[in-house]
């Protein structure tokens, strides 16, 4: 079945991460910040850094349901779900804020990850380098299929379940390896 396609810019707002403004003046404040190291294929790691910024009229604090990707070497997408913290996106991150009436955030993360969209929209930053980068314009002009919102929610829920299953399997493998090491070490005692 073929679904209509739209650019991400038609369905979401793209917000660039903020560069730290180190200022010795009293006007700057410390804010919780999401860092690129918190964005992993296993999911979001809620260990916040801090960013020093001078407060401005528009501070792009993260909202529940924002999709976050790395600017450099984008390999995964996560959906921000932490209700307990008010955080800013640090530099080298992009936040995609879906229009709730058109685009489900988990579906968007699913599409970005599962169709290799992040690989397609990122470009190598130079000759003979392993670093790839993505720009706000590349995100805005990326075309995604747009099934009905209910179908998006179902696909997003499947993606979340698959992520949880992968994480559980990784934990099981890690525990299995730990047990085998323990048995092996006990042989020499």
């Amino acid at each position: 079945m073929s679904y209509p396609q739209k650019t991400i810019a038609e369905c979401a707002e793209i917000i660039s991460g903020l560069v730290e403004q180190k200022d010795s003046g009293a006007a700057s404040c410390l804010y919780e910040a999401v860092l690129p190291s918190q964005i992993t294929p296993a999911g979001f790691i809620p260990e916040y850094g801090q960013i020093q910024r001078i407060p401005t009229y528009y501070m792009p604090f993260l909202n529940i349901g924002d999709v976050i990707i790395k600017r450099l070497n984008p390999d995964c997408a996560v959906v921000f779900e932490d209700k307990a913290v008010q955080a800013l996106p640090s530099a080298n991150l992009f936040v995609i804020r879906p229009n709730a009436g058109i685009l489900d955030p988990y579906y968007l993360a699913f599409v970005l990850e599962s169709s290799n969209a992040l690989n397609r929209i990122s470009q190598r930053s130079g000759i003979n380098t392993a670093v790839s980068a993505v720009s706000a314009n590349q995100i805005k002009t990326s075309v995604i299929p747009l099934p009905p919102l209910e179908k998006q929610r179902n696909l997003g829920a499947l993606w979340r379940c698959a992520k949880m299953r992968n994480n559980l399997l990784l934990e099981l493998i890690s525990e299995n390896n730990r047990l085998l090491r323990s048995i092996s070490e006990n042989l020499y005692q």
Side-chain angles (χ1 to χ4, degrees):
M1 174 176 264
S2 180
Y3 295 108
Q5 297 191 5
K6 290 193 175 199
T7 64
I8 292 177
E10 292 177 289
C11 323
E13 175 185 6
I14 289 80
I15 301 166
S16 295
L18 298 174
V19 176
E20 188 166 23
Q21 297 173 327
K22 295 195 176 198
D23 185 6
S24 58
S28 67
C29 301
L30 280 178
Y31 295 96
E32 298 289 333
V34 173
L35 308 172
S37 60
Q38 293 173 259
I39 311 304
T40 71
F44 180 72
I45 302 169
E47 296 171 358
Y48 298 94
Q50 291 192 323
I51 187 171
Q52 188 172 359
R53 293 285 302 173
I54 296 170
T56 59
Y57 169 72
Y58 175 69
M59 297 290 280
F61 289 106
L62 293 169
N63 293 339
I64 303 299
D66 284 348
V67 178
I68 308 170
I69 62 171
K70 298 178 206 173
R71 182 186 304 258
L72 300 175
N73 295 326
D75 57 351
C76 58
V78 298
V79 178
F80 187 75
E81 299 175 317
D82 195 342
K83 298 175 185 170
V85 69
Q86 188 176 30
L88 292 169
S90 67
N92 292 325
L93 292 178
F94 280 111
V95 175
I96 306 170
R97 184 166 292 158
N99 177 335
I102 300 173
L103 183 61
D104 181 73
Y106 298 100
Y107 170 75
L108 176 60
F110 162 71
V111 168
L112 290 173
E113 275 194 4
S114 63
S115 65
N116 289 324
L118 292 174
N119 289 334
R120 283 196 315 272
I121 64 175
S122 63
Q123 297 176 345
R124 297 284 175 210
S125 60
I127 299 172
N128 295 329
T129 181
V131 177
S132 62
V134 65
S135 70
N137 193 50
Q138 289 166 315
I139 297 168
K140 288 177 185 177
T141 58
S142 293
V143 176
I144 59 170
L146 211 60
L149 202 49
E150 188 60 34
K151 180 133 182 127
Q152 290 180 40
R153 288 186 182 117
N154 291 339
L155 291 168
L158 285 172
W159 175 78
R160 286 192 314 200
C161 288
K163 289 290 236 183
M164 286 190 293
R165 184 176 52 236
N166 285 345
N167 291 339
L168 289 171
L169 287 170
L170 289 173
E171 287 176 25
L172 182 64
I173 291 168
S174 178
E175 180 63 17
N176 189 57
N177 290 339
R178 187 191 67 73
L179 287 171
L180 288 173
R181 278 192 308 274
S182 177
I183 291 168
S184 174
E185 289 170 3
N186 285 332
L187 290 173
Y188 295 101
Q189 291 182 3

